[in-house]
Amino acid sequence: DPTFARAARRARDAGVRFRGLRVKCDLAASTVLDEIPVDLEPPSDVDAAAVARAVDRRRETTGWTRTFDGVPRRVANGPFKHNVVSPPAKRSKAKTTTTTTT
């Protein structure tokens, strides 16, 4: 995300310290293994293009699955439902009913 990357570099230049951690995750726990460097410099055009091609080649086989109602489904590499902006609902004219009693 280029916008986030620019903001991160501005934050670094203003004194914010970034720390990267390598973490092992399994069903029992998440364990911090060690600290790793954080590179905030923008990639060269060649590097960025190579990463984009690699991501596209692996798009159908990467991501993770979650189980919903007992059915595992892949949930990565696509917009999540809470990130999709739905168009505003169409308003319908309210019907009025008149009841007459005698």
Side-chain angles (χ1 to χ4, degrees):
D1 180 353
T3 302
F4 176 80
R6 283 190 298 275
R9 285 191 295 276
R10 283 194 305 271
R12 176 204 55 203
D13 295 345
V16 173
R17 183 174 167 206
F18 288 83
R19 297 177 72 186
L21 302 173
R22 185 183 330 266
V23 178
K24 177 186 172 197
C25 299
D26 60 36
L27 295 177
S30 295
T31 306
V32 175
L33 301 175
D34 57 358
E35 191 163 351
I36 57 176
V38 176
D39 181 4
L40 296 176
E41 295 311 313
S44 71
D45 291 341
V46 172
D47 292 339
V51 169
R53 285 191 305 273
V55 168
D56 285 341
R57 282 194 309 270
R58 293 169 180 83
R59 184 169 304 283
E60 293 306 312
T61 59
T62 62
W64 63 89
T65 58
R66 296 185 94 176
T67 301
F68 299 95
D69 299 326
V71 178
R73 295 189 187 123
R74 202 172 103 206
V75 296
N77 294 336
F80 292 96
K81 288 181 181 178
H82 65 276
N83 290 342
V84 176
V85 178
S86 300
K90 292 182 179 179
R91 291 182 148 193
S92 61
K93 293 182 180 179
K95 293 182 180 182
T96 58
T97 305
T98 305
T99 304
T100 308
T101 58
T102 54

